Amino acid sequence: MKNLLLATAAGALMAGAAGAEEIKLGISLGFTGPLESMAPAMQQGAELAMKEVTDSGLLLDGSTVTAVTGDSTCIDAAAATATVERLIASEGVKGIIGGMCSGETIASLENVAKANGVVMISPSATSPALSTIEDDGLFFRTSPSDARQGQVMADILSDRGITSVAVTYTNNDYGKGLADSFQAAFQEAGGSVTVNSAHDDGKADYSAEVAALAAAGGEALVVAGYVDQGGSGVVRASLDTGAFETFVFPDGMVGNALEANFGSEIEGSFGQNPAAEGPGRDAYLAMAEEAGFDGTGAFSAEAYDAAALILLAMAKSGSSDPATYKDSIMEVSNAPGEEILPGQLARALEIIAEGGDVDYVGATAVEMVGGGESAGSYREVQITDGKLEVVGYR
């Protein structure tokens, strides 16, 4: 009997080992381009979730998770498509955290991921167009749509007593979608948009654009652009010519580079980016600090949540095959179930293994709605003494 028990135990261990995989997840972000300063903390956030799950030994018979990175450039659709094609065809990834910017995300999804049946969860692509895109149930995002951000921004301006603004936006899907969403919400609230015009990234001189904005006037300038590109160029030209003193910054402009580029020159300017308050965010920031990076970076927490959702969905479905686990993402991200915060992924895997349900709250208060996107909350920020200061949540 003793020998039989030993043989049975050995057989079980061998079966578990045989079932273990090395699961690769792709990270497609703009490591170069207009948001390159944000990409490292986003990568580190995603990898933190992967390490947490691997260290637990509880995913699919002890499978390990490794990251494979690729540069989407954020704005070059052809480069992003080639990157995602490499991640899928050459690296064999089972899911992708990305893209980063909306246009390249749409291109990668439509041209590569959908054709190959691979799940993408973007931490930061926010165009309203992604809410209704034909995605075969493969696309999700942990950041809210700019349809909501436009309303939030309009509310912040109204609460601050600002009734007229000029708007400039980066000339792509993200910028146009956000600018239009904001204008509709602001005008509905009684505000006035004096001009709503595009700017191109990569220019050395934005004086002509700023002159047109200044001629239209406004109490503040809304800059729906990129902090490492044309958005900062417009702000610099505005400051140098005295065209505007107060700026309103949506998510693509809210990063540490804003402090480095301008500091106290934009004192009192304000804006918002996706972020939640509460124990989930606190837990994530503590984990990031222990891991040696700044978890407050824009969309870093969303990247952690994107990776965590993919891995928990794999556990729930019992498979690393995207065609199978895609149907479990909404299930693990919403009630009912035990709420799961950052640092509790091992607990989540235990619950799932026991046949229970989890409600992944994560670092950003995840609540998936509609076609698989975050309902979203935002933090309101302001430049105070040259630094980004969080002044509230919405």
Side-chain angles (χ1 to χ4, degrees):
M1 179 61 72
K2 181 178 180 181
N3 289 338
L4 177 60
L5 290 172
L6 288 172
T8 302
L13 286 172
M14 290 178 63
E21 307 172 58
E22 181 191 2
I23 299 171
K24 294 181 179 179
L25 292 185
I27 300 177
S28 177
L29 300 174
F31 293 101
T32 61
L35 291 182
E36 62 186 20
S37 64
M38 296 182 184
M42 294 172 68
Q43 174 189 352
Q44 290 165 314
E47 290 178 345
L48 190 61
M50 297 181 204
K51 182 179 186 302
E52 187 179 341
V53 166
T54 295
D55 289 349
S56 77
L58 298 173
L59 175 65
L60 301 179
D61 299 316
S63 294
T64 59
V65 189
T66 56
V68 185
T69 60
D71 184 8
S72 73
T73 76
C74 203
I75 53 172
D76 187 334
T81 297
T83 288
V84 172
E85 187 170 10
R86 174 182 65 81
L87 291 174
I88 294 172
S90 300
E91 300 291 349
V93 300
K94 301 289 189 176
I96 293 174
I97 293 90
M100 188 173 187
C101 294
S102 296
E104 51 99 347
T105 299
I106 292 170
S108 297
L109 174 64
E110 292 188 326
N111 297 334
V112 187
K114 191 165 73 168
N116 288 276
V118 174
V119 166
M120 293 177 64
I121 302 186
S122 173
S124 56
T126 54
S127 170
L130 283 162
S131 297
T132 55
I133 195 169
E134 290 293 331
D135 62 5
D136 294 344
L138 293 166
F139 179 74
F140 305 82
R141 50 182 170 177
T142 49
S143 55
S145 165
D146 281 332
R148 170 154 166 72
Q149 181 172 194
Q151 182 63 62
V152 169
M153 186 157 55
D155 291 344
I156 290 173
L157 281 162
S158 296
D159 290 348
R160 288 173 176 257
I162 294 176
T163 59
S164 70
V165 296
V167 177
T168 180
Y169 62 89
T170 184
N171 193 17
N172 61 19
D173 293 304
Y174 159 70
K176 184 71 164 67
L178 177 55
D180 288 349
S181 170
F182 163 72
Q183 179 170 352
F186 192 54
Q187 289 178 337
E188 185 176 352
S192 171
V193 173
T194 62
V195 62
N196 189 348
S197 62
H199 64 261
D200 291 319
D201 289 316
K203 297 181 65 175
D205 182 10
Y206 287 92
S207 57
E209 289 86 348
V210 168
L213 293 165
E219 298 169 66
L221 175 62
V222 175
V223 185
Y226 297 132
V227 71
D228 294 322
Q229 256 296 345
S232 283
V234 168
V235 174
R236 174 50 61 199
S238 297
L239 291 170
D240 289 347
T241 61
F244 294 92
E245 296 180 351
T246 302
F247 302 90
V248 184
F249 298 120
D251 54 354
M253 291 295 295
V254 180
N256 292 334
L258 196 63
E259 297 178 356
N261 292 346
F262 306 108
S264 59
E265 290 183 277
I266 53 172
E267 191 74 11
S269 295
F270 56 92
Q272 72 288 320
N273 68 329
E277 61 180 335
R281 179 170 177 80
D282 294 343
Y284 177 69
L285 295 182
M287 290 172 61
E289 182 177 7
E290 185 176 350
F293 70 95
D294 182 6
T296 66
F299 300 110
S300 178
E302 284 81 1
Y304 174 93
D305 286 346
L309 283 173
I310 288 177
L311 298 173
L312 293 183
M314 287 181 180
K316 187 69 174 178
S317 67
S319 173
S320 64
D321 182 355
T324 302
Y325 79 73
K326 69 176 184 177
D327 296 326
S328 296
I329 291 175
M330 294 290 284
E331 189 175 355
V332 298
S333 63
N334 292 336
E338 182 173 324
E339 292 190 351
I340 300 298
L341 302 181
Q344 298 177 343
L345 299 185
R347 172 60 183 155
L349 294 170
E350 289 174 350
I351 294 169
I352 291 170
E354 294 166 358
D357 294 323
V358 297
D359 174 12
Y360 182 75
V361 175
T364 63
V366 172
E367 182 70 20
M368 288 289 186
V369 296
E373 61 188 25
S374 174
S377 61
Y378 289 82
R379 63 175 184 175
E380 182 180 350
V381 297
Q382 178 175 297
I383 297 292
T384 304
D385 296 329
K387 300 293 183 182
L388 279 170
E389 174 191 22
V390 177
V391 295
Y393 288 86
R394 296 178 181 252

